[in-house]
Amino acid sequence: MSDLVLGFLLLMFSCKASSQEIAPSLSVRAMVGDDTVLPCHLKPPKDATQMTVEWGKPGLQARFVFVRHGGKEHLVNQNPAYRGRTSLSADKLKDGDVSLRLSDVRHSDNGRYRCYIPEEEKEYFVELLVGLASSAGISLAGLDEGSSGVVLDCKSTGWFPEPQLLWLDREGNVLPAGPPETSRGPDGLYSVSSRVTVEKRHNNNFTCRVQQKDINQSRETHVHVPDDFFVVRSNCSVPVSLTVVLCFILIVAVVVFVWKWRQRKVSTKKQPDNEDEEQRQLMAETKDGY
């Protein structure tokens, strides 16, 4: 019964809350699996040991993350996702420190939290940014015969917030690559991938780096491409212009050959006609002699 009354009073106090903040709003960063603290302090400092302290998260179906009343924790109306993971420091309450300790941070914990002290009619908001980083994998995507290069593919899944992807050579120089492809899954986590064409050099060591500056996280994967993987251009390859000239010469040679062949054929046909004429003249002379 007392828990029901407490829940009713909390709702009443929440409705009467002024929009006055205890201190400027802060942002807290944490990685999945970490323990973190959401800061909240009474100003001026005063003993909060017996005060009602309410921590909530707007948008939750059961919006209470933690409630302390009458010097002890109350679990009624607490969101089940936070049960057993939230606490206040009893030693710091006397100094007005009502910061919430959140253990085993999850990706779903990401968002805005409200610290409210009903007796003071003051509220304070903290933004929790929960990050998640994942390793990257590199694979051979193919060969680029046009540039005698090798195409490398890098993929990484399970990031939050949205990461960046860079290709680097052994000296740390950024390699030119197309814009990475980024997608977001139903779980809210990001996947990123990118391809780059690399050419043979004195060392064939390359790095795929996936990073997220907001959470100060970076993951790198290195790969060495053997010399045998690179396409070697043939030294006897003929330029296009020379190919055109050779084709033209070949066509001219064929035309000349056909012309000479036809001329020879015509001359062969005329030769028997001349012999017949000579025989007719010889027969005529012989007949006149008689």
Side-chain angles (χ1 to χ4, degrees), residues 271-286:
Q271 187 174 359
D273 294 341
N274 293 335
E275 292 178 353
D276 293 343
E277 182 64 26
E278 291 177 357
Q279 289 179 359
R280 282 195 296 270
Q281 290 179 359
L282 181 59
M283 291 176 66
E285 291 176 357
T286 303

Side-chain angles (χ1 to χ4, degrees), residues 147-288:
S147 63
S148 301
V150 173
V151 182
L152 301 176
D153 182 77
C154 180
K155 294 181 180 179
S156 184
T157 60
W159 280 83
F160 191 87
E162 181 179 351
Q164 295 177 310
L165 191 154
L166 301 173
W167 284 99
L168 309 172
D169 60 16
R170 184 177 180 179
E171 288 73 32
N173 301 313
V174 178
L175 298 174
E181 297 182 1
T182 305
S183 60
R184 191 173 187 181
D187 55 0
L189 301 180
Y190 289 91
S191 298
V192 62
S193 64
S194 175
R195 288 189 175 187
V196 66
T197 301
V198 295
E199 297 181 359
K200 186 177 178 181
R201 53 189 69 195
H202 66 279
N203 66 75
N204 299 322
N205 297 318
F206 306 97
T207 299
C208 172
R209 176 187 294 168
V210 185
Q211 62 186 22
Q212 220 302 322
K213 294 184 179 180
D214 292 339
I215 58 176
N216 194 29
Q217 293 293 315
S218 177
R219 299 289 186 272
E220 291 186 351
T221 301
H222 308 278
V223 65
H224 173 76
V225 182
D227 291 344
D228 296 342
F229 278 53
F230 293 91
V231 178
V232 180
R233 291 182 177 178
S234 175
N235 294 329
C236 61
S237 58
V238 182
V240 176
S241 58
L242 182 57
T243 302
V244 173
V245 173
L246 291 176
C247 290
F248 177 76
I249 295 174
L250 179 61
I251 292 173
V252 171
V254 171
V255 172
V256 172
F257 173 79
V258 172
W259 180 79
K260 287 185 176 181
W261 178 77
R262 296 182 69 179
Q263 288 293 106
R264 189 164 52 251
K265 188 176 181 181
V266 171
S267 101
T268 303
K269 288 182 178 180
K270 288 182 177 181
Q271 187 174 359
D273 294 341
N274 293 335
E275 292 178 353
D276 293 343
E277 182 64 26
E278 291 177 357
Q279 289 179 359
R280 282 195 296 270
Q281 290 179 359
L282 181 59
M283 291 176 66
E285 291 176 357
T286 303
K287 188 182 292 185
D288 292 340

